[in-house]
Amino acid sequence: MRVPTADPLAPVTPPGVQADGAGDVWPDPDGWQSVVAAVRTALPEHRYAQDELTELIGDLCLAPGADRTVLRRLHGAAGVRTRHLALPLDQYAALEDFGQTNAAWMAAGLELGERALTCALEAAGLTPPDVDLVVCTSITGIAAPSLDARLASRMGMRPDVKRIPVFGLGCVAGAAGLARLHDYLRGHQGEVAALLSVELCSLTLQQRDDSPANLVAGALFGDGAAAVVAHAARAADHRSGRPAVVATRSLLYPDTEHLLGWTIGAGGFRPVVDAAIPDVVGARIGPDLRDFLAVHGLDPDDIGTWICHPGGPRILTAVAHALDLPDGALESAHRALAVSGNMSSASVLRILEDVTTNAPPSPGSWGLMMAMGPGFCVEFVLLRW
């Protein structure tokens, strides 16, 4: 099954699309939107309670006999109850260098990525040869050929499938990836685009590293993959009840590069997580999001569904306060954090799947996806059901 093609003589910029002068676009009733045909998540089979992981991380990261009071306090305050890991608990101590952890990322990532993308395509009523573009993102491992290249052959995609492997966006890549699908589909209205996120955060844990950043990451992050399949549709014809991307905005904040990311060395990816991140979020998210929504004649009160990256309890609190959100507005993010931890870029896609399949918003209602990542940066995606 293929999406009906647009007029081949139509301009590359979709008809009816207007620009606001700030890099945003949105369709009028005769324009185009990007419809999320399906989103699916794949989680590793190894699932553990938070207190089990606390003691494992203590064994791996702390010196023998070290006091674990601070570690246990961090894990208790993380808002996480369970997490899925790429490997069984007893295999992590045997990972002695980056080569071994990256090999584990490759093996588990291919399996989870294939499962997520296969399930998303099946849910959309499509097959691998229907995919015209695949964007693949991960910040927890590296490969050349990339995961998408390996999966294209493994899954039976066409030889002329277009691929965009992405590294470096981190937690923001779920929202940013969906935004880039939207950018592509605006100019390729008869095509199918897929986003695949594979994040195996447990494989980046640094052994014998008791730094605050490593311990915080060890308290929050989990493993998983997620895939989105999307196509373009005229706004006037969008009656499916599925979410459609209406507009997006990317923001990169100057002089904040030090707040979040990796220090990459012989041991692999050493986390950088600055305690000032919630302060930056609290100060910037409110004005910037209100400005974005105002372009479209909206304000936060008009948003019925919030899909926010679950960066941690302090991040979610900062977002809620900055936007004056009512109690429960970010419940989907808190729930995702509790059951699977922070899965980096896959988290907002998992929340989108949860919202879409378990409690579908009313047709015509507005949604807002947001995520933050290294840079320091933020991505807003305006959705409508």
Side-chain angles (χ1 to χ4, degrees):
M1 172 180 148
R2 296 296 302 277
V3 177
T5 57
D7 180 355
L9 300 180
V12 172
T13 300
V17 169
Q18 306 172 33
D20 67 358
D24 298 315
V25 294
W26 72 98
D28 64 21
D30 295 322
W32 293 82
Q33 298 175 336
S34 302
V35 177
V36 175
V39 54
R40 291 293 184 269
T41 305
L43 301 174
E45 62 177 321
H46 314 294
R47 181 172 177 264
Y48 299 99
Q50 179 79 331
D51 56 357
E52 292 180 86
L53 298 180
T54 303
E55 300 312 313
L56 166 72
I57 290 170
D59 293 341
L60 291 177
C61 299
L62 302 182
D67 186 357
R68 300 192 176 190
T69 302
V70 172
L71 176 72
R72 290 167 180 156
R73 186 183 303 127
L74 281 172
H75 280 242
V80 178
R81 293 198 304 268
T82 58
R83 280 181 279 172
H84 296 255
L85 302 188
L87 303 178
L89 274 180
D90 59 6
Q91 293 187 16
Y92 283 86
L95 299 174
E96 297 180 348
D97 58 33
F98 177 59
Q100 292 179 347
T101 59
N102 201 64
W105 169 84
M106 175 77 76
L110 284 171
E111 189 274 323
L112 288 170
E114 182 175 16
R115 181 149 49 97
L117 189 50
T118 298
C119 290
L121 286 168
E122 289 176 352
L126 298 169
T127 63
D130 293 318
V131 177
D132 298 286
L133 169 76
V134 57
V135 176
C136 182
T137 184
S138 179
I139 200 171
T140 54
I142 53 176
S146 53
L147 289 179
D148 50 286
R150 297 166 193 257
L151 287 174
S153 174
R154 184 160 151 167
M155 294 179 64
M157 296 182 191
R158 302 194 317 270
D160 65 344
V161 65
K162 287 161 278 195
R163 301 178 296 105
I164 303 178
V166 177
F167 178 87
L169 287 178
C171 296
V172 80
L178 181 57
R180 300 295 79 78
L181 292 193
H182 176 62
D183 293 342
Y184 177 83
L185 290 169
R186 283 170 47 220
H188 301 80
Q189 293 126 355
E191 298 191 2
V192 172
L195 167 66
L196 175 62
S197 163
V198 177
E199 302 291 15
L200 306 183
C201 305
S202 69
L203 295 172
T204 68
L205 188 71
Q206 298 294 295
Q207 297 190 31
R208 294 296 170 256
D209 178 359
D210 62 357
S211 66
N214 196 48
L215 297 183
V216 168
L220 285 171
F221 285 96
D223 298 346
V228 173
V229 176
H231 62 81
R234 289 193 181 276
D237 298 332
H238 178 228
R239 299 289 185 272
S240 66
R242 294 169 175 167
V245 178
V246 176
T248 73
R249 179 174 287 184
S250 304
L251 292 168
L252 184 63
Y253 298 138
D255 303 319
T256 58
E257 296 92 340
H258 63 282
L259 293 179
L260 184 65
W262 299 123
T263 298
I264 302 176
F269 302 141
R270 189 171 187 267
V272 176
V273 183
D274 196 288
I277 292 174
D279 297 332
V280 174
V281 170
R284 300 300 297 267
I285 289 292
D288 290 336
L289 182 55
R290 287 186 175 90
D291 179 66
F292 170 63
L293 292 175
V295 169
H296 310 287
L298 302 171
D299 62 40
D301 291 339
D302 294 309
I303 303 301
T305 302
W306 294 91
I307 300 172
C308 181
H309 172 65
R314 292 184 63 210
I315 297 289
L316 294 175
T317 297
V319 170
H321 286 171
L323 298 173
D324 297 321
L325 297 182
D327 292 344
L330 300 183
E331 175 56 31
S332 61
H334 285 286
R335 184 168 59 248
L337 184 65
V339 300
S340 54
N342 178 345
M343 298 193 301
S344 191
S345 64
S347 284
V348 289
L349 306 182
R350 176 173 171 78
I351 296 170
L352 180 61
E353 178 189 17
D354 180 36
V355 167
T356 303
T357 59
N358 296 325
S362 302
S365 64
W366 294 98
L368 195 287
M369 175 185 286
M370 74 173 81
M372 309 89 186
F376 187 74
C377 65
V378 64
E379 192 84 23
F380 300 137
V381 181
L382 182 62
L383 302 169
R384 196 165 198 184
W385 268 263

